[in-house]
Amino acid sequence: KAGVTQTPRYLIKTRGQQVTLSCSPISGHRSVSWYQQTPGQGLQFLFEYFSETQRNKGNFPGRFSGRQFSNSRSEMNVSTLELGDSALYLCASSSGQETDTQYFGPGTRLTVL
Amino acid sequence: KQEVTQIPAALSVPEGENLVLNCSFTDSAIYNLQWFRQDPGKGLTSLLLIQSSQREQTSGRLNASLDKSSGRSTLYIAASQPGDSATYLCAVRPPQGAQKLVFGQGTRLTINP
């Protein structure tokens, strides 16, 4: 099976711009979760989508949003970028059961200048 | 609020040694605990998943144990190799929160040839 794919792998944006990141889960997986990783805060949960519905949400401002399509692919959008949004954004794929392993993609490195 | 702690933050050992990485969590109400490996600038690779009803899991030279009542997990690496050098992260899945994982800050492991 192909693994989790994320595009693009690298992005450079300026403050105030918006950005969209994409995640394609493992075939058959219906759950996609997003995480932000920074040196200071570590890995923090952003939100999870399951069957096109947001099922859980972390403590991030409304500038961070997402959606999931019928083929389970997910996109994450960040509007009005701030310097502090510079991070590695990781998505994780699973079947959606609480007992399942989560499989992570390679991440998108976002740099905000 | 669930909090996960990993000690030490960094560890350097000579090749061939057996070693133990520690993970502790504040709330024993978890679905499972997962150990990951992360190479610099890369995504997370799942190593082992222990369900809340299990005591340990093994994969090759890796063995993870879970003591839910005391809020502790250990990852044992036998006969360490330079290729084991990476950051090791543990994460717990709380019962409320669907696919959300709560991560520790990780242990950066260096195996010296």
Side-chain angles (χ1 to χ4, degrees):
Chain A
K1 271 187 181 178
V4 181
T5 58
Q6 291 187 245
T7 56
R9 295 293 312 281
Y10 302 92
L11 266 177
I12 300 176
K13 293 285 186 179
T14 56
R15 280 181 300 173
Q17 286 187 310
Q18 75 165 19
V19 66
T20 299
L21 313 181
S22 179
C23 173
S24 292
I26 292 170
S27 177
H29 283 183
R30 296 164 64 191
S31 169
V32 174
S33 300
W34 289 90
Y35 293 82
Q36 180 195 65
Q37 186 176 31
T38 58
Q41 299 296 318
L43 272 152
Q44 293 185 287
F45 174 81
L46 281 155
F47 32 65
E48 183 222 353
Y49 285 86
F50 179 82
S51 294
E52 302 179 65
T53 301
Q54 188 180 86
R55 194 159 69 166
N56 199 10
K57 190 177 187 306
N59 296 323
F60 278 81
R63 300 186 297 108
F64 292 82
S65 63
R67 59 177 176 169
Q68 187 178 33
F69 301 95
S70 58
N71 62 357
S72 293
R73 188 177 71 86
S74 177
E75 287 183 347
M76 188 191 96
N77 185 74
V78 188
S79 62
T80 319
L81 284 166
E82 301 176 359
L83 295 178
D85 297 334
S86 294
L88 181 65
Y89 290 89
L90 295 161
C91 80
S93 160
S94 79
S95 68
Q97 309 259 356
E98 293 86 357
T99 54
D100 279 356
T101 298
Q102 289 200 32
Y103 298 93
F104 281 76
T108 294
R109 171 74 62 185
L110 172 64
T111 301
V112 182
L113 302 176
Chain B
K1 178 189 170 188
Q2 178 74 268
E3 291 182 0
V4 180
T5 303
Q6 291 185 248
I7 295 173
L11 182 64
S12 180
V13 301
E15 180 179 1
E17 280 204 3
N18 302 324
L19 58 98
V20 174
L21 305 181
N22 297 297
C23 171
S24 61
F25 47 96
T26 55
D27 188 343
S28 62
I30 62 170
Y31 269 133
N32 53 48
L33 183 146
Q34 200 164 350
W35 281 94
F36 296 89
R37 166 192 172 130
Q38 185 175 33
D39 293 288
K42 307 287 187 182
L44 277 61
T45 300
S46 178
L47 298 174
L48 290 164
L49 172 71
I50 312 177
Q51 304 295 348
S52 62
S53 58
Q54 297 174 322
R55 296 286 292 186
E56 64 179 293
Q57 282 286 338
T58 299
S59 175
R61 295 183 294 109
L62 304 179
N63 175 277
S65 68
L66 174 64
D67 184 343
K68 211 173 63 157
S69 61
S70 68
R72 292 183 184 181
S73 176
T74 61
L75 179 66
Y76 174 84
I77 302 177
S80 58
Q81 303 170 357
D84 294 330
S85 297
T87 296
Y88 290 79
L89 295 141
C90 72
V92 300
R93 182 174 297 168
Q96 72 288 352
Q99 296 297 302
K100 173 183 177 179
L101 293 176
V102 180
F103 283 86
Q105 293 284 2
T107 294
R108 188 172 68 253
L109 176 65
T110 303
I111 308 297
N112 301 303

